[in-house]
Amino acid sequence: MFMLVNCSNCHTPLQLPPGAQSIRCAICRGVTLIADPRSLPPPGSSHQPYPPPSSSTASSPYNHAPPGAPPQVHGRKRALIVGVSYTNSRHELKGCLNDAKCMKYLLINRFKFPESSIVMLTEEETDPYKRPTKYNMRMAMYWLVQGCQPGDSLVFHYSGHGSQQRNYTGDEIDGYDETLCPVDFETQGMIVDDEINATIVKPLPRGARLHAIIDACHSGTVLDLPFLCRMDRYGKYIWEDHRPRSGMWKGTSGGEAISFSGCDDDQTSADTSALSRITSTGAMTYSFIQAIERGHGNTYGNILNAMRSTIRHTDSQIDGGVVTTLITMLLTGGSVGGGLRQEPQLSSNEPFDVYTKPFSL
């Protein structure tokens, strides 16, 4: 029976084996000594790393912010960047490491994220705790939100394979959970959208913001956010209600969570050199960065339209990435007949006017 104990240095929840007197954190590498085992939760207890959502008098069922004025702004920036290449496997992707490096450069140079506040998980890392394994991804997601306070800006970027699996709880409109695939997913399993939501969405306090940028197949609702922006090719949109019929809580604890994803839940995403003409990239990551760099990053609606336009205008070239796309299809079961089509998506914990709400990280 494993129990949870917080790291004495960075406060990340750690799974403590029975009888252990110390444990090393996978994020900060600090060692936590267990001085008094009697202070730990008893076996079988339902100790949770986050408290349940508090009650609220707010009108929205997905806004659990406490009443009154918001607390004092804190203002830290923190990011988790994951690029999974699946090197030397039948699922290998060529552009994910480039995506991770480009996103780090963008956050540091355009949005002034301190380099020390960015955790990178890629197969290029020599530190075993910085490889994109399932365990490391889980611990890094805990780190991302740990100690989050009002005014904090968090970013989660993922470039790699995504997939789907049958949902049996009734909280998915299409009957499928969306998943992310760590480098060791074939032996350790995938990370399901329910876990991603519980780890980095639900704990967000009032005044904190999370932006997820997910470049993967089947990623439209991979954060399980309650509302999806359904936009047509002319820029007209409605917010589609994805709140589970079971009534399960999928919102935040008063904070703001917004996700840009590479495609709809039933689509696949390209890993190709057709866009940059120089090196392989994820089509979604490339189009997102291009939207920012070309001055379309003032509102969420402008970013989404610019991303879709970039991908739509290169559809005929994306067929150049058909070999990589075929590798992707081995995992997702999709089809490449007629060329790849993907439409980036926007989802949120609350609906908003996408053309007036300013975008900022």
Side-chain angles (χ1 to χ4, degrees), residues 1 39 46 59 70 78 98 109 115 158 166 200 212 226 231 254 261 279 302 317 332 350:
M1 175 84 57
S39 66
S46 57
S59 59
R78 185 185 292 183
N98 293 327
N109 292 279
E115 186 170 5
Y158 171 88
R166 176 68 70 177
I200 64 174
M231 182 179 286
S261 52
T279 186
N302 287 347
Q317 302 170 46
T332 63
E350 292 283 358

Side-chain angles (χ1 to χ4, degrees), residues 85-93 161 183 185-186 327:
S85 302
Y86 315 93
T87 307
N88 298 323
S89 78
R90 67 192 180 101
H91 306 301
E92 186 168 359
L93 295 172
H161 279 305
V183 67
F185 77 94
E186 290 186 296
I327 295 173

Side-chain angles (χ1 to χ4, degrees), residues 189-353:
M190 298 179 283
I191 299 179
V192 182
D193 52 11
D194 298 301
E195 179 180 354
I196 298 169
N197 182 276
T199 304
I200 64 174
V201 173
K202 286 185 180 180
L204 287 172
R206 187 182 187 190
R209 288 178 301 161
L210 167 71
H211 285 89
I213 301 149
I214 310 297
D215 195 344
C217 298
H218 310 294
S219 54
T221 63
V222 75
L223 262 66
D224 258 1
L225 294 174
F227 297 96
L228 177 71
C229 180
R230 190 63 74 185
M231 182 179 286
D232 66 19
R233 290 199 169 200
Y234 303 101
K236 296 180 181 179
Y237 73 93
I238 59 169
W239 285 98
E240 198 170 79
D241 192 338
H242 279 247
R243 286 175 291 185
R245 286 165 291 188
S246 64
M248 189 177 298
W249 178 63
K250 292 289 187 178
T252 70
S253 294
E256 184 176 43
I258 297 175
S259 174
F260 286 100
S261 52
C263 60
D264 209 347
D265 286 343
D266 62 353
Q267 294 179 329
T268 54
S269 293
D271 177 57
T272 177
S273 59
L275 288 146
S276 72
R277 305 291 184 90
I278 299 173
T279 186
S280 292
T281 62
M284 182 270 180
T285 300
Y286 179 87
S287 64
F288 176 81
I289 293 174
Q290 284 293 300
I292 302 297
E293 295 295 345
R294 291 178 177 175
H296 301 295
N298 54 336
T299 69
Y300 292 87
N302 287 347
I303 292 174
L304 187 60
N305 274 313
M307 292 172 64
R308 289 183 167 195
S309 178
T310 296
I311 291 176
R312 190 159 55 240
H313 292 159
T314 52
D315 265 345
S316 60
Q317 302 170 46
I318 288 180
D319 290 337
V322 70
V323 174
T324 302
T325 305
L326 283 169
I327 295 173
T328 303
M329 299 310 144
L330 292 173
L331 180 64
T332 63
S335 170
V336 295
L340 185 68
R341 297 292 184 270
Q342 66 180 98
E343 293 181 321
Q345 303 293 322
L346 175 70
S347 59
S348 174
N349 67 303
E350 292 283 358
F352 58 87
D353 186 333

